Amino acid sequence: MSQWPKAPELRVSSWLNTDTPLSLNDLKGKVVALHTFQMLCPGCVSHGLPQAAKLAHFFQQDDLVVIGLHTVFEHHEAMQLESLKAFVHEYRLHFPIAVDAPSGGSIPITMNEYGLAGTPGLVLIDKLGQIRFTHHGTIDDMLLSKMVSSLLGEVTANDDNLNFNKDDPRSNSSGSEKCSVS
């Protein structure tokens, strides 16, 4: 039994910057950085979204997936999909962005399921699909990089690069390059 809660699946109405919808279940084996934002949130525009873009850029060769979650809990009329598309284009955001599904109330579904307090927000999900960190507000870039690097470095039983099968040719069990006690 894990001490970390399983991340709920994202409940979204639209996706931007991806050809196919992303599923957290399909992303197991990768670390996910879920950045929550609103277009009219000053902290999101000045810090959260630039930070998400930097994460996506600097960790692009690693097993990190950055997802923006546009989660609207105020000014609903001003933050429609067409406005978001223009915003994403103008701010040159290239990572996948999900639009949180409306709940019928003021708090969107995913925001509510994750218990998020507002924007900007950050949720780090480990390779097993477990929530490892949740934060409302801004966070220092260096601290975030350290946390992401730590999660990327965790070894899980599902890691493709690990194979403890003695018959695997990568295990070098030929005897010619190992020392044994006689």
Side-chain angles (χ1 to χ4, degrees):
M1 174 90 178
S2 172
Q3 66 180 1
W4 308 106
K6 183 180 183 310
E9 193 57 63
L10 303 176
R11 307 265 306 271
V12 303
S13 59
S14 298
W15 283 93
L16 302 175
N17 296 339
T18 182
D19 294 331
T20 59
L22 302 181
S23 158
L24 292 181
N25 194 49
D26 293 342
L27 295 174
K28 282 194 177 157
K30 297 183 181 294
V31 173
V32 176
L34 183 64
H35 265 275
T36 63
F37 73 99
Q38 295 186 96
M39 291 182 289
L40 299 179
C41 165
C44 298
V45 173
S46 68
H47 189 76
L49 289 169
Q51 184 176 67
K54 285 187 271 187
L55 270 181
H57 174 74
F58 288 112
F59 287 94
Q60 66 186 338
Q61 300 302 318
D62 295 301
D63 284 335
L64 174 71
V65 177
V66 176
I67 300 173
L69 179 65
H70 188 244
T71 184
V72 179
F73 57 90
E74 58 189 357
H75 309 298
H76 291 84
E77 307 77 34
M79 294 200 253
Q80 299 300 316
L81 184 57
E82 288 307 310
S83 299
L84 179 60
K85 287 178 181 178
F87 178 88
V88 167
H89 174 77
E90 290 298 320
Y91 280 88
R92 295 177 175 89
L93 302 174
H94 301 292
F95 50 88
I97 295 176
V99 178
D100 202 347
S103 65
S106 62
I107 305 298
I109 295 174
T110 304
M111 182 180 189
N112 186 52
E113 288 181 353
Y114 276 79
L116 301 172
T119 57
L122 172 68
V123 179
L124 293 178
I125 301 168
D126 69 15
K127 294 176 183 179
L128 298 175
Q130 302 169 126
I131 298 173
R132 297 291 293 274
F133 180 77
T134 303
H135 182 75
H136 174 225
T138 60
I139 185 168
D140 182 76
D141 288 347
M142 294 295 285
L143 177 59
L144 178 56
S145 179
K146 180 179 178 184
M147 290 189 295
V148 167
S149 295
S150 177
L151 289 173
L152 287 169
E154 288 182 355
V155 176
T156 67
N158 297 329
D159 283 348
D160 288 337
N161 59 345
L162 296 178
N163 188 329
F164 297 108
N165 179 351
K166 66 178 181 65
D167 298 323
D168 188 312
R170 295 173 291 175
S171 67
N172 191 20
S173 59
S174 67
S176 64
E177 296 180 23
K178 63 182 180 181
C179 297
S180 301
V181 176
S182 320

